[in-house]
Amino acid sequence: MSDTAPLSVGADLAARVERWAQHRPDAPAVAFEGVEHTYREFADQIAETAAWLAASGIGDGDRVAWLGPNRPAALRLMLGCSWLGAVYLPLNSRLVPPEHQWILDHAEPRLLTVDSAFADHAARIGARCDVHVMADEPRVGKPDSSAGQAAAAGAPPRVGTPEHPVLLAYTSGTTGHPKGAVLDQAAMAANAVNATHAHDLTSTDRVLTTIPLFHVGGLNIQSLPALLGGAAVRLQRAFDAGQFLDDVEEWQPTWTVLVPAALAAVSAHPRFSEADLSSLRGIMTGSSPVPAAVTRPYFDRGLPVGQIYGSTETAPIAVHLRCDEAAGHPGSCGKPSTMCEVRIVTDAGTDAEPGEHGELWVRGPSVLREYWRDAEATAEALRDGWFRTGDVGHADGDGWIFIDDRRTDMIISGGENIYPAELEEVLARSDLVAEATVVGLPDQRWGEVPVIVAVPASGAVGAPDADADADADSDTAAQLLRLFDGRLARFKHPKAVFWADQLPRTALGKVRKHEVRAMLTENNGVHRAQ
């Protein structure tokens, strides 16, 4: 760690970690698969990463993409970018090459860094930039930080400021293509303040991260705020319920985040009732509606479950329900976070009264600056600094906020956002259907799953009724489901096909999706392909 490198407190995110390395050099910072890095070591490694990026030609405003699982390299890259004023672009590792190709063509990164496990995948993308395969993290023993210390001594000049964009996070788009939310360093720092209040985070806390770091939920609800606050972070390469219980017992974390599907998986594990969870002060959840049945097993064990409400565009913490408030406010996602203002706006454009429904608007320093190269989407989403979430909710007389519905058609399955437009674009190219739409159906394991509701093309299958040819019906449905292979990530694929005589539409021809969902719920006018 350089003693002479110019450093103004808060100038960039990496500088905040470096301050902790000066104050608590031997405190644990990042642990991963048997190796633990102290703050001194981690700060040296960030400096080494910044030096390597600079030597690779990365500078002010350049994008650096990362493709891989949770591992310390992802955090080092993001903080190295903050040092140089560059922009970190994490890629969802669950996407398929054509999806990554679109993002890379749109973002135009100068460098794509990939985990060795994704080297073949990266070769299939055909990226129009330099590609670097990251060496694997050491699995055992103490890492040798001499290289990091040497690089830190000759670290490049600090360029990053709070106003510099630092995160370009792509989120599924309502029009079929993802949108890149641009968050600056000030937004990340403001979100860390929100996280500190949501958890009462201190430098003695220990955070177990299971959510992928390519999500703002994995990166920004606890992980980065913990590192900016001097706490310890342990990364789980990928979520596994049994491994989660092992890590809690062995590492004794104080905090973690689990999406509702992961909460259900952990509580259903055979060892859940016997596992020692006493180190946890609480668990945070969010990303989709949180049924009481999912959190009840934890409350029954005396372990409170709080909530985070927000989105990629809000970094994400906009509203939070602290664990010490959770039991007394079932169904609520909390109150506005420390650095956020929240309005609930009626269709008439007025602020909703208590109990009155409206769209949630969020304003504050943690809100995105813009959508990358998409002025139209930016203008639609932002109104005088207010971000329009598209979610419908209400507040009670004491200000507790409740989410009632999503104004958009987005489906949230296992914590992943799925926009039907992406799937419907694939269906529109098929001659198997005359018309088709995609909606979400409730699912006990995943919360929701996407399904197709379609009118068959003439001659494709028998009429969609009880007299239909079951074999032809099933074969056509199977062909429809295979259309998504290799085009979209597996988690986006529809799970079933339902046939209908027609789709309900507005006078302007738009499909009435709420009526389609009602048709499925009531089993009225549709039948499922066998």
Side-chain angles (χ1 to χ4, degrees), residues 409 435 502-516:
D409 296 325
E435 55 178 339
Q502 62 182 5
L503 298 181
R505 294 183 179 271
T506 67
L508 297 178
K510 185 177 180 179
V511 175
R512 296 180 182 271
K513 295 210 173 184
H514 65 283
E515 292 186 17
V516 174

Side-chain angles (χ1 to χ4, degrees), residues 6-25:
L7 173 64
S8 59
V9 176
D12 60 72
L13 299 175
R16 297 175 180 236
V17 176
E18 187 165 335
R19 281 301 192 210
W20 281 109
Q22 293 171 353
H23 283 280
R24 303 180 71 227

Side-chain angles (χ1 to χ4, degrees), residues 32-33 65-71 73-74 76-77 93 112-124 131-139 237:
F32 178 70
E33 296 185 344
W66 161 252
L67 175 59
N70 284 0
R71 50 176 286 196
R76 295 195 299 266
L77 277 170
S93 59
L112 168 61
T113 57
V114 301
D115 180 89
S116 59
F118 288 82
D120 290 342
H121 180 105
R124 295 197 301 273
V131 179
H132 175 78
V133 178
M134 279 280 184
D136 293 338
E137 305 280 351
R139 292 301 186 101
R237 183 178 290 266

